[in-house]
Amino acid sequence: MKKYIGEPVYLNLVGKKELTGVLIDYGSDVLVLLSQNDFYYIPLFHIREIRSLSKEEAGSFSQSDTAMTLSFDEQLSLKEVLHAAAKGSFVEVNITAAHAIHGYITNVLDDYLVLFTPIYETILIPIHHIKFLIPYSKDSRPYGFKLTKAPVSVIKGPPSAFEDHLVKLKGSFITLNIEGKDSISGQLIGKEAEFIELLTVREQQIHLNIHHIKTVMPFVFKEEKQQL
């Protein structure tokens, strides 16, 4: 990987996503790619292929003055990237090749994060499903708004494990895999082994594998918000 530092490269990611740019840095489980004025923080786990670009393919790549980089307290790793982003950066989190969510990271737990979005409010995202993360520049105005500080999570004391949080949501109305082709909503009946049981709008009971759940959006009734 070291040979590619500072060089224009091609990346093929899981999910038929392709990226080109300049490889800026890499750590134990993540690399940083500068592409079209954005810094992409990409988990190594999702990279299928990396190679150098020819001069014809590369065209002209240059360092951006507007892109947002993150400051790290320790060695570069995915967890460090997420914790750094949670210090107030507005970010794009890419879950699939065609599925990105924008918002503020409010909590980074053992195997998932909590994201506050202007559109969906609170979303739970298992870390292993994150294809890449892009922080916005500090002077950006997402949706035309300028916030003086990032929103605070409405979830108080979230469990450290994603599966434990699903257990906590028993009886709640949730939407899984928002905006994806496998998106589904219903009442969370409970968890059994590697599956959760969901009751759909027509009261059909289905079981879904937890490991294939990319996002969870819990719907919180107004009277419940006071108790979270």
Side-chain angles (χ1 to χ4, degrees):
M1 194 74 69
K2 187 176 181 179
K3 63 174 287 187
Y4 295 115
I5 294 291
E7 298 294 326
V9 297
Y10 162 88
L11 297 179
N12 184 299
L13 308 184
V14 174
K16 300 181 179 179
K17 177 70 175 179
E18 299 176 321
L19 293 171
T20 58
V22 176
L23 183 61
I24 302 300
D25 196 5
Y26 72 95
S28 59
D29 59 355
V30 67
L31 63 75
V32 187
L33 184 79
L34 174 60
S35 178
Q36 297 182 348
N37 296 331
D38 285 321
F39 284 98
Y40 289 69
Y41 293 82
I42 309 169
L44 301 182
F45 176 78
H46 294 296
I47 299 175
R48 298 177 59 184
E49 175 191 349
I50 180 171
R51 64 172 173 83
S52 296
L53 292 178
S54 66
K55 291 183 179 179
E56 292 75 18
E57 290 176 311
S60 60
F61 290 93
S62 60
Q63 184 83 5
S64 170
D65 294 328
T66 59
M68 171 67 177
T69 55
L70 300 173
S71 299
F72 304 102
D73 298 325
E74 300 178 15
Q75 183 180 3
L76 180 63
S77 68
L78 182 56
K79 269 296 186 68
E80 276 297 304
V81 168
L82 296 176
H83 280 292
K87 296 176 181 178
S89 302
F90 191 85
V91 299
E92 173 184 326
V93 181
N94 190 279
I95 309 300
T96 67
H99 185 191
I101 306 173
H102 301 81
Y104 294 90
I105 298 174
T106 59
N107 302 91
V108 179
L109 292 309
D110 289 350
D111 60 351
Y112 74 105
L113 59 84
V114 180
L115 189 77
F116 176 86
T117 80
I119 300 175
Y120 305 107
E121 292 196 1
T122 298
I123 297 179
L124 314 179
I125 305 176
I127 291 175
H128 69 271
H129 280 303
I130 297 175
K131 297 297 187 296
F132 57 80
L133 177 144
I134 303 173
Y136 278 53
S137 62
K138 292 182 179 180
D139 58 350
S140 64
R141 295 172 59 89
Y143 305 106
F145 295 103
K146 183 66 174 180
L147 299 181
T148 55
K149 65 178 184 178
V152 177
S153 175
V154 298
I155 298 179
K156 304 301 182 183
S160 59
F162 179 63
E163 292 192 19
D164 292 339
H165 203 139
L166 291 175
V167 172
K168 182 180 179 180
L169 291 173
K170 180 180 178 180
S172 300
F173 179 83
I174 62 174
T175 296
L176 306 177
N177 305 323
I178 56 172
E179 294 189 356
K181 63 181 180 180
D182 53 350
S183 179
I184 186 170
S185 300
Q187 181 186 167
L188 179 57
I189 302 301
K191 172 184 172 296
E192 181 179 351
E194 303 298 306
F195 292 81
I196 61 169
E197 182 179 353
L198 205 68
L199 191 65
T200 67
V201 64
R202 295 187 178 274
E203 298 188 60
Q204 179 185 12
Q205 294 183 357
I206 60 175
H207 287 80
L208 302 165
N209 192 310
I210 292 172
H211 300 291
H212 295 287
I213 297 174
K214 299 179 179 67
T215 60
V216 176
M217 181 180 69
F219 181 82
V220 181
F221 294 95
K222 290 183 178 180
E223 57 269 23
E224 293 178 343
K225 288 186 178 181
Q226 304 300 324
Q227 303 174 11
L228 291 177

